[in-house]
Amino acid sequence: MANVHQFDVVVVGAGGAGLMAGLYASRNAKTAVISKLYPTRSHTGAAQGGISAALGNYEEDKPEWHMYDTVKGSDYLGDQDAIEFMCNEAIDAVLELEHMGLPFDRTPEGRISQRPFGGHTNNETGKPVRRAAHAADRTGHMILQTLYQQCLKNNVNFFDEYQALDFITVNGKTAGVMAVNIATGELHTIHAKSVIFATGGHGRIFEVTSNAYAYTGDGAAILLRHGIPLEDMEFFQFHPTGIYKLGILITEGVRGEGGVLINGKGERFMPKYAPTVKDLASRDVVSRAIYTEIKEGRGVNGKNYVYLDIRPETVNKFAVEDGRTNPDGSKYNLTAEQVLQKLPDIIDFCRVYLGIDPVTQMMPIQPTAHYTMGGIPTNKYGQVVIDDKNTVFPGLYAAGECACVSVHGGNRLGTNSLLDLVVFGKHAGLKAAEYAKTADFEKLPDNPLAESQARFESLKNGSGKENVFNLSTELKNAMFNDVGIYRNEKDMQSALNKVRELKARFKDVAVKDTGKVFNTELLNAWELGNLLDVAEVVAMSALNRKESRGGHSREDFPERDDKNWLKHTLVWNKDGKLEIGYKAVTITKYQPKARVY
Amino acid sequence: MEITVKIFRYNPETDTRGNYVTYKIEGDENDRVLDVLEYIKGMRDGTLAFRRSCAHGVCGSDAMRINGRNMLACKTLVRDVGANITVEPILGLRIVNDLIVDMEPFFDNYKKMLPYFINESPLPEDGRERLQTVEDRARFDETTKCILCACCTTSCPSYWANGEYYGPAAIVTAHRFIFDSRDEAADERLQILAETDGVARCHTAYNCTEACPREIKVTKAIGEVKMAMMTGKV
């Protein structure tokens, strides 16, 4: 068999979680990181506002407050043992990034600077707390660069521009992955004791999204085909502030610095929906508020958008109304210069894509599909768990957005995604290396390429009646319109039917590119297959959950129903048919109560 | 509006040389050039090959020559370049397929810069962050923005003339560490850049600064490195 490589640990994906996993695994085991993009192209680089930790660099803060805020933000669906673990690890995780050279912005004392973010509060006063450690509005970019650099320093083996196609499993144990070298079209078998999936989310199932083209749910789809369940896939985060129509993210840091949302009548509307923290409520709350304003006719010019306003005069006016002061108690006074300095990329996006200057003009925004709360079920060590009893699949790990630990539950707090990557990427890497020390290599099956080859062949040999671009457009529209911010039985059923119709029509796709070198047409078609598989699970999980919780808001079941639905959804693929099951939520310190901001 | 797009095509498995193919499509002045390419790939010719990921100018995948200048296709709107658009691969790197070039030499130069934080001194005793003043942090702020798209390096006449030149992007990376008050390997990096293929090959054409989609003043950064080399002071 040609092109067989052997590593103790192979990591699939080179964003924040994959790089952190690779870095830690490589200290104790022979490790490879494969990625369909050059690592620095990964979507972690698009994260803007910050990474949270109760450093308390400006004001009092504690990990317990961070934990409570995260539990409340999750609408009590997050597993509290995992949340506590993450929030306790947060301080050391952020300090470790600084020790690796990450150029955080600084306080006047030279410490890591922090800004307020949605849902992060002082638990005694209920007011926003400065918890998000930041590097301007490119914190994710700096994390990605720093971790990649540290991997280079530590000689981690990279397979750049290798697309993982399949997971190899023998007798219920991990044996490696299959991948294609995109530059040559050659298939490679990577024989490994441990495999860590860190493949990111699947926001490309939605029409308006902040997510990269690469966000096609590859890891989740590959494992689903191997009988691994997916957890809580109905929970998808719509970020309140995407650039109108384009969906490009405008960081919550804008509101952290004092920006406010304004409707078509020129009114600031968040105080109606979240009287205490107002514009800094959780993302699900703010997205619903925007949608409600639009639905009730208060969008701008009757269209589907509202404004985000960071003009200093607006910010300073409302700072007085809200009683917001600087950490030393002095008057909060944002200047145009500070806006440029703290939010340079946001200013740049607005100038390039909208032709407006946020220092003097308001930004037209609408909610944008942003983050996958659900995913591959894991415990807090990144081990993939495959049933309601949390049975570990030997040698298989997942971390980052593709995983569901679950620390985000029904709704993720801003800045907790970057924290999740770093904390669980590290632990997945450590565990995977530890497992590799004691485990033996499984014998590879006779033809591990078979499944990947068959998929490629069928994509090349369809009737050609259908086209990837059209199918993809139909999928994104159906999911965005019918499994979006507000949901109901009829729409979700229609979306599920549509996804199934598209899956059937997908068989009639015929890729015309017969080349081997960068056959991106073939890979895009393969990725659409993943999007379809994942979208079916999302639509089905959403249709099944008859309550409203976090990012899952049903018009026909508007209340949270803890009696029947305080549980995780698990969906398995059993011979092509999806089956639903459940798993208990771990509750330790905080019993569910009404969620008010 | 009708958009006419002339695209450089090269299939490495069948062509001995590249050629241009023109497509006419209906589009909008607010479309990104990347949207236009996606449409052509999706509806006209699936074999068209280019890299892309984030689609909003932060991942650095889709650097290409648009009407003769290096730009990111996702950060360039039709209204910025007009309805007649010529798209070609960036120069100075081997063309692999259509608009895709071999990025390995580019990343090899990056890797020569010791592109990682080096500080072997003990951490603060309380285990907290190393301190850095706001002013010290500001000294290298701009060069931390680099997304390694290669727009600068592949617009540089010195790089076109001599592919051994490390190029502007590599020097930007070195700058990010040389001027970081916490880093301890400035001297090693300055030595590397003092070699024949280092900053001496920069003739201040300013193409790099013009090309940078992140608005990094690349030539200025190279100048600061040259100055540090001459004065021995960072």
Side-chain angles (χ1 to χ4, degrees):
Chain A
M1 217 163 24
N3 300 324
V4 181
H5 315 263
Q6 201 175 61
F7 289 93
D8 292 325
V9 178
V10 58
V11 184
V12 183
L19 293 174
M20 196 71 180
L23 191 58
Y24 269 87
S26 65
R27 290 177 184 171
N28 299 313
K30 192 183 168 200
T31 301
V33 178
I34 73 170
S35 168
K36 65 178 173 179
L37 305 170
Y38 275 104
T40 61
R41 315 292 189 219
S42 304
H43 199 54
T44 297
Q48 299 170 354
I51 173 168
S52 50
L55 297 166
N57 281 355
Y58 279 123
E59 56 193 335
E60 189 190 9
D61 197 5
K62 350 176 161 176
E64 302 87 77
W65 292 354
H66 187 183
M67 177 192 174
Y68 171 73
D69 289 340
T70 303
V71 171
K72 179 181 171 185
S74 81
D75 219 347
Y76 297 90
L77 190 68
D79 289 316
Q80 295 184 14
D81 56 337
I83 293 174
E84 184 167 20
F85 179 77
M86 178 178 80
C87 296
N88 284 337
E89 296 252 316
I91 293 174
D92 284 343
V94 170
L95 291 173
E96 184 182 16
L97 291 173
E98 198 283 331
H99 298 155
M100 290 175 179
L102 196 142
F104 284 109
D105 292 345
R106 297 289 166 158
T107 69
E109 294 75 38
R111 298 206 170 274
I112 296 169
S113 182
Q114 297 182 275
R115 59 164 55 119
F117 240 75
H120 293 280
T121 66
N122 174 315
N123 286 186
E124 280 157 20
T125 64
K127 296 276 187 193
V129 69
R130 291 167 178 81
R131 187 178 290 150
H134 57 88
D137 52 358
R138 54 177 185 282
T139 314
H141 165 78
M142 296 320 324
I143 290 178
L144 184 65
Q145 298 284 330
T146 301
L147 292 177
Y148 179 57
Q149 291 158 355
Q150 289 299 311
C151 284
L152 292 179
K153 189 179 181 185
N154 289 283
N155 299 312
V156 174
N157 300 291
F158 282 100
F159 288 70
D160 295 334
E161 301 195 314
Y162 276 63
Q163 169 73 61
L165 297 174
D166 200 11
F167 172 56
I168 309 169
T169 168
V170 178
N171 302 326
K173 287 185 178 169
T174 297
V177 290
M178 286 299 315
V180 58
N181 178 353
I182 300 172
T184 63
E186 287 167 344
L187 294 178
H188 288 248
T189 306
I190 303 171
H191 190 193
K193 295 176 184 173
S194 302
V195 173
I196 303 173
F197 279 87
T199 48
H202 49 258
R204 283 275 155 182
I205 62 174
F206 294 106
E207 182 197 1
V208 177
T209 178
S210 63
N211 285 185
Y213 276 103
Y215 257 30
T216 51
D218 301 347
I222 287 171
L223 292 184
L224 182 71
R225 285 176 209 132
H226 281 279
I228 309 290
L230 298 178
E231 180 176 348
D232 291 342
M233 292 289 275
E234 61 273 39
F235 293 99
F236 200 94
Q237 179 165 81
F238 288 79
H239 191 291
T241 57
I243 290 180
Y244 179 49
K245 284 186 179 166
L246 290 170
I248 296 169
L249 182 66
I250 300 290
T251 174
E252 200 167 303
V254 170
R255 283 170 286 137
E257 300 296 347
V260 293
L261 292 162
I262 304 285
N263 67 19
K265 296 172 79 178
E267 301 158 341
R268 182 190 187 192
F269 55 85
M270 277 314 297
K272 270 192 300 193
Y273 301 91
T276 310
V277 294
K278 299 167 186 157
D279 297 84
L280 285 173
S282 271
R283 289 178 176 170
D284 57 332
V285 175
V286 182
S287 285
R288 279 194 292 275
I290 293 170
Y291 188 90
T292 304
E293 291 294 308
I294 290 168
K295 203 169 60 173
E296 293 177 359
R298 294 186 294 279
V300 177
N301 298 324
K303 297 216 173 92
N304 293 337
Y305 69 91
V306 297
Y307 285 126
L308 175 59
D309 192 349
I310 186 71
R311 295 176 301 175
E313 65 271 24
T314 311
V315 169
N316 295 332
K317 183 180 87 180
F318 287 115
V320 173
E321 268 183 35
D322 295 352
R324 176 176 180 157
T325 58
N326 291 320
D328 64 3
S330 62
K331 185 168 182 262
Y332 189 77
N333 184 48
L334 187 71
T335 63
E337 194 185 308
Q338 285 170 331
V339 175
L340 295 175
Q341 187 196 2
K342 288 169 187 247
L343 303 164
D345 283 4
I346 297 306
I347 307 292
D348 187 34
F349 296 152
C350 288
R351 286 177 181 162
V352 170
Y353 298 108
L354 295 165
I356 66 157
D357 181 355
V359 174
T360 56
Q361 290 167 291
M362 296 189 285
M363 300 169 251
I365 58 95
Q366 72 176 127
T368 181
H370 183 57
Y371 187 84
T372 302
M373 264 89 67
I376 304 159
T378 72
N379 60 24
K380 66 187 178 191
Y381 303 113
Q383 295 169 300
V384 173
V385 290
I386 54 171
D387 56 25
D388 59 344
K389 295 176 199 67
N390 287 318
T391 305
V392 169
F393 190 104
L396 181 59
Y397 305 81
E401 192 171 344
C402 73
C404 181
V405 185
S406 152
V407 286
H408 309 305
N411 170 69
R412 173 175 71 76
L413 291 191
T415 72
N416 271 351
S417 58
L418 291 176
L419 180 60
D420 169 347
L421 306 175
V422 178
V423 170
F424 297 108
K426 170 181 164 177
H427 285 281
L430 287 171
K431 273 282 171 213
E434 187 185 306
Y435 175 80
K437 269 213 155 68
T438 55
D440 294 321
F441 281 101
E442 294 296 320
K443 188 175 171 293
L444 285 172
D446 290 342
N447 187 5
L449 312 176
E451 151 79 13
S452 308
Q453 282 169 331
R455 264 183 189 269
F456 276 179
E457 284 313 305
S458 79
L459 290 170
K460 288 177 185 162
N461 298 326
S463 70
K465 264 196 325 210
E466 296 289 351
N467 155 313
V468 166
F469 191 80
N470 288 335
L471 295 182
S472 161
T473 305
E474 286 185 46
L475 170 70
K476 291 183 226 174
N477 283 326
M479 292 301 290
F480 194 72
N481 294 330
D482 296 333
V483 196
I485 295 173
Y486 276 106
R487 303 167 170 184
N488 62 58
E489 170 108 20
K490 182 170 153 282
D491 289 349
M492 287 188 287
Q493 185 63 58
S494 139
L496 183 57
N497 295 346
K498 184 73 187 180
V499 173
R500 286 177 175 158
E501 173 205 314
L502 293 170
K503 282 182 82 162
R505 287 165 56 195
F506 183 58
K507 296 191 172 74
D508 288 316
V509 159
V511 170
K512 292 187 184 66
D513 193 337
T514 55
K516 291 190 179 318
V517 179
F518 277 91
N519 188 336
T520 52
E521 185 184 13
L522 180 61
L523 292 172
N524 290 357
W526 182 81
E527 288 173 332
L528 176 61
N530 296 340
L531 287 171
L532 287 167
D533 285 353
V534 169
E536 185 182 9
V537 179
V538 172
M540 185 163 160
S541 304
L543 183 61
N544 181 62
R545 182 176 284 270
K546 293 181 177 55
E547 65 156 353
S548 289
R549 183 186 298 272
H552 177 66
S553 300
R554 289 192 59 154
E555 292 159 333
D556 43 359
F557 296 95
E559 300 300 322
R560 194 175 79 198
D561 176 1
D562 289 332
K563 189 161 162 278
N564 295 303
W565 289 100
L566 185 56
K567 56 188 179 186
H568 299 293
T569 305
L570 293 175
V571 172
W572 287 266
N573 170 18
K574 297 257 166 82
D575 304 320
K577 207 166 167 296
L578 298 183
E579 278 180 20
I580 292 184
Y582 303 97
K583 183 164 85 172
V585 175
T586 305
I587 293 171
T588 55
K589 290 188 172 166
Y590 304 108
Q591 287 303 315
K593 60 180 182 186
R595 185 162 162 257
V596 184
Y597 281 99
Chain B
M1 65 189 282
E2 189 181 73
I3 303 170
T4 305
V5 198
K6 192 170 123 186
I7 304 178
F8 178 89
R9 302 295 311 268
Y10 169 71
N11 178 340
E13 292 162 80
T14 57
D15 299 345
T16 48
R17 54 185 296 177
N19 63 308
Y20 288 87
V21 179
T22 300
Y23 305 85
K24 286 183 190 297
I25 65 158
E26 268 305 304
D28 187 275
E29 62 164 13
N30 291 318
D31 286 340
R32 293 166 277 205
V33 172
L34 179 62
D35 298 325
V36 170
L37 294 175
E38 281 290 323
Y39 181 82
I40 292 169
K41 182 176 179 63
M43 298 304 289
R44 299 290 174 80
D45 187 349
T47 66
L48 177 63
F50 52 92
R51 291 189 179 98
R52 88 289 194 251
S53 189
C54 79
H56 66 287
V58 298
C59 82
S61 297
D62 61 350
M64 42 191 85
R65 221 150 32 110
I66 300 171
N67 289 354
R69 298 166 68 124
N70 283 2
M71 300 181 184
L72 299 178
C74 64
K75 218 181 166 184
T76 305
L77 305 190
V78 170
R79 68 163 185 252
D80 302 331
V81 290
N84 285 299
I85 307 173
T86 302
V87 185
E88 301 160 292
I90 46 179
L91 294 173
L93 294 168
R94 184 176 61 88
I95 298 169
V96 174
N97 184 353
D98 293 342
L99 301 170
I100 296 175
V101 298
D102 178 8
M103 294 293 287
E104 288 300 314
F106 175 82
F107 279 104
D108 286 345
N109 282 332
Y110 168 80
K111 289 170 190 167
K112 286 174 191 156
M113 296 301 113
L114 310 176
Y116 35 78
F117 184 72
I118 299 176
N119 182 329
E120 305 304 339
S121 302
L123 292 169
E125 276 186 20
D126 60 3
R128 300 285 296 198
E129 62 267 57
R130 293 190 171 92
L131 299 181
Q132 184 169 50
T133 66
V134 172
E135 294 72 32
D136 281 344
R137 168 65 180 78
R139 289 193 72 194
F140 65 104
D141 185 63
E142 208 165 271
T143 44
T144 66
K145 290 184 184 174
C146 177
I147 55 174
L148 300 168
C149 65
C151 275
C152 60
T153 295
T154 62
S155 71
C156 172
S158 299
Y159 184 75
W160 298 335
N162 184 340
E164 298 298 307
Y165 173 33
Y166 302 145
I171 303 172
V172 162
T173 298
H175 180 283
R176 175 256 172 274
F177 291 105
I178 290 169
F179 291 92
D180 184 338
S181 59
R182 303 167 300 167
D183 187 273
E184 295 175 338
D187 290 345
E188 282 100 310
R189 295 194 189 90
L190 288 170
Q191 271 173 30
I192 293 165
L193 287 171
E195 291 163 10
T196 324
D197 295 318
V199 291
R201 293 212 185 272
C202 166
H203 301 303
T204 55
Y206 281 91
N207 284 18
C208 51
T209 302
E210 293 245 324
C212 179
R214 302 284 291 151
E215 294 176 7
I216 300 169
K217 294 179 200 75
V218 182
T219 317
K220 178 166 169 261
I222 297 173
E224 288 174 0
V225 172
K226 286 178 180 171
M227 186 59 82
M229 212 174 274
M230 277 185 334
T231 60
K233 273 194 287 213
V234 169

